Amino acid sequence: MGDNDNITPVYERQGLSHALRETAQSFESVSETPRLDAELLMAHALGISRSDLLLNLPKLAVPDAFAAFSARRKAHEPVAHILGEREFWSLPFQVSPDVLIPRPDSEIMIETAVKIGAKNPPRNIIDLGTGSGALLLAGLSEFPQAQGVGIDASAAALAVAHNNADRLGFSDRSRFLLQDWTAPDWTQFMQQPVGSEPFDLILANPPYVSTGDELSREVAEYEPHSALFAGADGMDDYRIIIPALDDLLAENGTVLLEIGFNQAEAVSRLAKKHGYHVECKQDLGGNDRLLVLSRAGAG
Ligand code: GLN
C-alpha cells in the first residue's frame, strides 16, 4: 500500500454506492425514507440532480461536504432544510426554518382546486397563512389568468414567499401582505386602496395541531411552532378564519381548508354553523385532509 491509500477517506476507497448504503442504514432511526434522504444529500453535496447521481454512480466520488450533511440529518434536521428546497406540485420551493415545509398531503388542495376550476377558473386567489407561498404559487401555476394574494403574520415567512414568487416567475401576479388574523379587524385590508375584489378561491393551511400532541423531533425541533400549534384542540385558528370568510369570499367562491386527520367533524360543524356547505376530501394516505366550503345556496 502506498501512502496515498492511508489518507484517502474511507468513503472514497469503498466507493460512493457503499457510502450511500451505509448512510441510508444510519438514517433508519431518524427517517422513514433513509435511502432517498441519502441520495438527495449526496446529490446536493455533488451539486447535481438525483437522477444524474443515480445514472453516474460508479463514476462519482464522495465529496467532502457529504459528511456534514449526513451528520445534520442524523440530528433529525429535515432534508428540506439541508437542501434549502422542497418540491411541491412539481415546483421547487425555497424553504427555511421560518416556514412550514410543504407536505405532499397538501397537494390534494391543488388537485381539488384544479377540478373545481376546470369549468370556471378563479381570477382572484388568496392564501391565508401562506408561509413559503407553496399553495398560492402552485394555484397560480394552474390558473394563468389568476392574480394571487398571500398573507402571513410572519415577515420572515413572507420574505421566503416573495423569493419563491420571483424564482418561479409569478411576481407580476402575486402580492404578499403582512397580516395577523389574531388582530381585530384583520380583514380590513379588503377595504383599503390596496385592497381587493372578493376572492373566488380561498386557500388555507392554518396551524391545526393540538398543543398536547407529540410531534416527531424533525417537526418539533425544526419547524415553526407558530405554523403548527392551534390551542388545546387545534381549532383556535379555524375559530378565527371561518367567521371571517364572509368578508373575503366572492358570492360563488370556494374555500379550501386543510384540516388535521381527526378534525373533519368539528371543523365541518363550525363551517355549517356559519352558513357553508361542506365536503371532505382525503389525502394520499386516505386521511381526512381537506374541507371544501361554499356558501349554502350559492351556485
Ligand atoms: N400536517 C402538519 C403536520 O402534521 C401540520 C400542518 C398544520 O398545522 N397546518 O405536521
Side-chain angles (χ1 to χ4, degrees):
M1 270 215 267
D3 282 352
N4 272 350
D5 290 73
N6 291 330
I7 56 165
T8 311
V10 67
Y11 279 161
E12 214 169 292
R13 270 187 279 139
Q14 297 181 326
L16 188 139
S17 296
H18 181 82
L20 278 178
R21 251 192 324 274
E22 295 247 291
T23 306
Q25 227 165 45
S26 75
F27 286 172
E28 268 165 23
S29 58
V30 297
S31 174
E32 280 168 17
T33 53
R35 173 76 196 190
L36 174 67
D37 292 8
E39 288 172 3
L40 287 169
L41 296 181
M42 185 69 83
H44 184 57
L46 287 162
I48 61 177
S49 68
R50 177 168 165 250
S51 50
D52 279 341
L53 168 75
L54 298 178
L55 286 172
N56 296 295
L57 277 185
K59 284 181 258 166
L60 296 164
V62 181
D64 291 344
F66 182 68
F69 292 162
S70 149
R72 286 167 67 182
R73 185 68 190 112
K74 275 183 243 172
H76 297 263
E77 187 169 346
V79 173
H81 284 180
I82 304 172
L83 268 50
E85 198 172 278
R86 167 56 54 89
E87 196 170 283
F88 179 79
W89 202 249
S90 299
L91 297 168
F93 286 92
Q94 190 217 336
V95 296
S96 81
D98 295 312
V99 301
L100 203 70
I101 299 168
R103 316 284 206 251
D105 283 338
S106 302
E107 292 191 345
I108 182 64
M109 186 182 291
I110 306 303
E111 209 177 300
T112 304
V114 169
K115 277 193 199 137
I116 291 173
K119 271 200 229 128
N120 210 350
R123 310 284 303 203
N124 203 9
I125 307 175
I126 191 166
D127 180 10
L128 307 176
T130 196
S132 66
L135 291 171
L136 180 71
L137 300 173
L140 290 179
S141 78
E142 292 293 335
F143 300 112
Q145 310 302 325
Q147 301 282 327
V149 176
I151 70 164
D152 207 288
S154 156
L158 287 179
V160 176
H162 240 131
N163 189 44
N164 280 322
D166 279 348
R167 288 188 348 147
L168 298 168
F170 296 115
S171 358
D172 52 338
R173 294 199 282 134
S174 54
R175 289 188 298 138
F176 295 96
L177 305 175
L178 190 63
Q179 289 289 339
D180 181 351
W181 61 57
T182 64
D185 300 331
W186 65 277
T187 58
Q188 285 296 311
F189 67 90
M190 297 292 287
Q191 264 80 60
Q192 286 155 18
V194 290
S196 178
E197 295 294 303
F199 295 94
D200 33 33
L201 181 60
I202 299 180
L203 310 174
N205 177 14
Y208 56 67
V209 178
S210 308
T211 345
D213 276 4
E214 222 176 286
L215 298 174
S216 67
R217 283 185 60 186
E218 177 167 352
V219 176
E221 291 178 21
Y222 291 93
E223 296 200 80
H225 287 195
S226 59
L228 290 164
F229 293 107
D233 61 357
M235 296 270 297
D236 282 5
D237 294 86
Y238 300 126
R239 285 194 193 93
I240 297 174
I241 291 170
I242 289 175
L245 290 173
D246 198 45
D247 292 348
L248 306 171
L249 189 64
E251 193 51 38
N252 290 313
T254 305
V255 184
L256 301 180
L257 195 56
E258 184 165 324
I259 54 164
F261 71 96
N262 56 359
Q263 291 175 320
E265 207 186 305
V267 184
S268 298
R269 204 179 314 125
L270 183 61
K272 285 177 187 163
K273 207 180 95 190
H274 285 271
Y276 295 93
H277 170 82
V278 184
E279 224 182 298
C280 178
K281 301 217 177 268
Q282 286 75 40
D283 62 22
L284 301 166
N287 291 310
D288 290 342
R289 187 60 61 199
L290 183 74
L291 295 184
V292 183
L293 275 54
S294 50
R295 285 204 169 90

